[in-house]
Amino acid sequence: MNDRDVPGDSFDDVPETNFEPEPAAVPPHPVNWNLLTAHDLEQELLELNRWVNWLRLEYGLPASEVPPLWHRHPELLWELSALHLHWLCAYDPDQDGSAPLGWHRDFADARGRLRDWVAACGTRRDRDRPTRRVPWPGEKREQDIVEQVITDRDADFVQFVLDQVAGRQAAEDAFFANIDPETGEVNE
């Protein structure tokens, strides 16, 4: 037994933290989650998930800043995506040497926003519910707020990606089904 081994403790369930970004084939670019094809949506979600997992472990972030089901909350998805892009640019080999310091300054600001988003949406380490959407006068209430216990975060992420990609693919298929092959115009 070495000094890191503690009787009764197992480190088998701790995710790896040795995330190494792959060199970008193209310069980093902002991700508009609304405009991605089904294939690109899947790739971007998987890449962002890898990075967010690395970020939370590397910086010891609590669930009050990066909760397990962040992917189910658009406000967290957009914030973490922007932070990821900023990180990619700051640590690009061609970047100025002070860029990482700028990233850390902006990361501190983003952590405050993440805490605000998490508090507003109500997701936690062990439970999640959809972000509350308050209807304006004249609007119907869209959703029932049902809290669920988080039992397997990774399985939830995989199912989320499959559902999102299938939905996006169905929208693409419906769009292309309405294109006239002769003229290339969209049929109404």
Side-chain angles (χ1 to χ4, degrees):
M1 183 182 294
N2 64 38
D3 15 328
R4 289 192 58 183
D5 292 334
V6 177
D9 282 353
S10 171
F11 295 101
D12 294 338
D13 59 347
V14 176
E16 289 188 36
T17 60
N18 60 350
F19 172 81
E20 286 295 325
E22 301 203 12
V26 295
H29 58 281
V31 176
N32 184 337
W33 295 95
N34 297 325
L35 300 179
L36 296 174
T37 64
H39 173 76
D40 290 344
L41 176 64
E42 179 180 23
Q43 298 307 306
E44 293 290 348
L45 282 169
L46 294 174
E47 178 59 26
L48 182 59
N49 186 58
R50 279 189 293 274
W51 183 81
V52 169
N53 195 48
W54 169 84
L55 180 74
R56 76 174 182 88
L57 294 170
E58 190 74 9
Y59 287 89
L61 301 176
S64 61
E65 293 175 11
V66 180
L69 298 190
W70 59 265
H71 54 276
R72 292 201 171 269
H73 298 274
E75 62 277 27
L76 296 172
L77 179 80
W78 288 92
E79 182 80 33
L80 289 165
S81 178
L83 194 57
H84 179 222
L85 174 64
H86 190 8
W87 183 84
L88 286 170
C89 292
Y91 285 93
D92 184 275
D94 295 331
Q95 186 55 265
D96 182 275
S98 63
L101 187 59
W103 182 84
H104 278 91
R105 181 189 61 244
D106 295 338
F107 178 42
D109 291 341
R111 289 180 70 182
R113 286 191 306 275
L114 286 166
R115 282 189 295 275
D116 291 345
W117 291 127
V118 171
C121 75
T123 188
R124 299 193 244 329
R125 187 189 67 75
D126 59 344
R127 292 176 305 231
D128 186 67
R129 64 171 169 76
T131 299
R132 286 188 177 109
R133 292 189 172 93
V134 178
W136 285 354
E139 292 179 337
K140 287 187 349 183
R141 182 181 171 128
E142 290 181 13
Q143 63 185 5
D144 291 324
I145 304 298
V146 178
E147 191 170 82
Q148 68 177 27
V149 174
I150 301 170
T151 56
D152 187 338
R153 187 270 172 203
D154 289 338
D156 185 89
F157 179 77
V158 168
Q159 190 59 55
F160 174 81
V161 171
L162 292 172
D163 293 346
Q164 295 297 307
V165 169
R168 191 68 55 97
Q169 188 63 58
E172 287 176 33
D173 292 346
F175 174 80
F176 287 116
N178 287 323
I179 293 181
D180 183 320
E182 302 284 324
T183 65
E185 294 178 359
V186 178
N187 297 324
E188 305 257 347

